[in-house]
Amino acid sequence: MRAFEAAARHLSITRAAEELNVTVGAVSRHVRALEARMGTALFLRGSRGLALTSAGKTFADSAREALDRIADAADGLRLRRFRRLTVGVYGFFVSRFLLPIWPTLNAAYPELEVDLHTSSNPLDLLASRYDAVIAVSDGQPRAGLVTHSLMPIATVPVCAPEFLNKGAVDFAAVPLLHARPRPDDWRRWLDYAQFADVPVQGGSSFESLGLTIEAAAAGMGVAIAIDGLLAPDLARGNLVRAHPIIRPTRRQFVLEYEQRMADDPAVTAFVAWLNGARGQPSGRTSASKNDRGAPASGAVRRRLLA
């Protein structure tokens, strides 16, 4: 096809051979083989050289268009052109983790454009709805999806700094703030930290984890936060950990996308950036002991790691 298109463009077997860096005989053989396969003459051969038949002219136009499209596609692969990427993600993860490091994405991939779609409902964050999602996983593989671990989920109580002015927080005496999407966080942390006698009834509740944390920063009480997402608040000084014990869980934040997206340039660039960003400080994620004793162990501890 390339031999025919070049010969048709130049109306010369010799010039086509020079362009393709092959012999004149090779171009002639390719053209005659194509005519035999098509069952029709593509050139008129005379003493003055070549001329296209009507069938040859129509076929040459189509061949040129097809080869141009192939060349454009090849250039796109070589240049790694990005298309706009759509990513579904929890709003709290965006504000506490992605936005503080977003300038590094622009610096690494200035041509990559990302549309972030936020939700607090895990049913909204399905890989089939977006090019990729940042969701919560229990570590079990999901059929048809590629999964990258981003951050383990561990919880810790937080409060405004003034709550610690008089010493250790008395969890039985301070208002406990609740995030409605995570209704069991307080009970699980209290049991894990061996404060099983502290009741969790009462206290204000909020529709999102983000609002709950903001209420704690405003001095309304003590909230349970995801430790790995505390770095911006700790750096600003508007929040402190109300207790040193951090409760690990079996869940983690992951980046997921369908297998068909695995070789998409925009997705692979986003994955590379996130993998690099994971090395940045984002708070402690390990548990420690306190004056009340070590965290729960054995069967009780396994139950608390939900």
Side-chain angles (χ1 to χ4, degrees):
M1 188 68 69
R2 291 178 60 207
F4 164 70
E5 189 278 329
R9 183 160 26 88
H10 294 295
L11 290 180
S12 168
I13 297 293
T14 300
R15 292 181 64 186
E18 292 173 352
E19 177 183 308
L20 299 176
N21 197 28
V22 297
T23 65
V24 170
V27 174
S28 294
R29 285 194 297 274
H30 281 306
V31 170
R32 291 189 182 280
L34 185 60
E35 287 179 317
R37 182 162 186 168
M38 298 294 103
T40 187
L42 300 175
F43 289 106
L44 297 174
R45 297 164 176 86
S47 58
R48 295 186 178 182
L50 296 180
L52 285 166
T53 65
S54 59
K57 185 178 185 311
T58 300
F59 195 52
D61 291 341
S62 297
R64 189 170 301 117
E65 179 182 353
L67 290 172
D68 286 345
R69 291 177 63 187
I70 293 173
D72 288 343
D75 286 343
L77 289 177
R78 284 194 295 268
L79 295 175
R80 305 293 283 176
R81 291 173 181 162
F82 296 135
R83 59 179 180 77
R84 184 178 292 272
L85 191 69
T86 61
V87 179
V89 59
Y90 288 102
F92 191 66
F93 192 91
V94 171
S95 63
R96 261 57 180 190
F97 184 82
L98 289 184
L99 291 187
I101 62 173
W102 202 258
T104 65
L105 176 63
N106 293 332
Y109 303 100
E111 296 181 357
L112 178 60
E113 297 180 334
V114 181
D115 290 337
L116 293 177
H117 300 261
T118 62
S119 176
S120 59
N121 185 350
L123 296 180
D124 291 336
L125 301 178
L126 302 177
S128 58
R129 300 185 61 179
Y130 306 99
D131 295 325
V133 295
I134 295 176
V136 172
S137 170
D138 58 4
Q140 298 299 315
R142 306 183 189 184
L145 297 181
V146 178
T147 301
H148 299 267
S149 298
L150 298 179
M151 179 191 299
I153 294 178
T155 60
V156 65
V158 294
C159 60
E162 55 265 27
F163 270 74
L164 296 181
N165 288 343
K166 296 181 180 180
V169 173
D170 182 355
F171 293 102
V174 298
L176 303 185
L177 307 178
H178 306 271
R180 287 196 287 275
R182 301 178 61 90
D184 300 321
D185 273 357
W186 265 118
R187 183 72 275 153
R188 288 170 173 166
W189 184 87
L190 290 166
D191 289 350
Y192 180 83
Q194 298 185 356
F195 291 102
D197 55 332
V198 175
V200 297
Q201 291 79 12
S204 298
S205 66
F206 302 85
E207 66 179 10
S208 70
L209 182 59
L211 288 175
T212 311
I213 301 306
E214 290 176 16
M220 294 177 59
V222 184
I224 291 290
I226 295 173
D227 192 64
L229 298 179
L230 283 178
D233 298 282
L234 297 176
R236 286 193 297 267
N238 61 321
L239 278 178
V240 294
R241 295 181 179 87
H243 197 278
I245 285 185
I246 300 170
R247 183 185 76 89
T249 78
R250 292 192 178 95
R251 296 182 178 273
Q252 58 184 316
F253 286 107
V254 298
L255 176 72
E256 289 185 331
Y257 48 88
E258 293 184 329
Q259 184 67 50
R260 63 183 178 82
M261 301 296 296
D263 61 351
D264 183 272
V267 171
T268 55
F270 194 71
V271 170
W273 171 67
L274 275 179
N275 283 337
R278 288 168 58 193
Q280 299 191 15
S282 57
R284 298 173 298 163
T285 57
S286 60
S288 59
K289 297 181 181 181
N290 78 326
D291 295 339
R292 290 285 296 266
S297 61
V300 174
R301 184 173 183 274
R302 288 192 293 272
R303 175 175 58 82
L304 298 177
L305 289 178

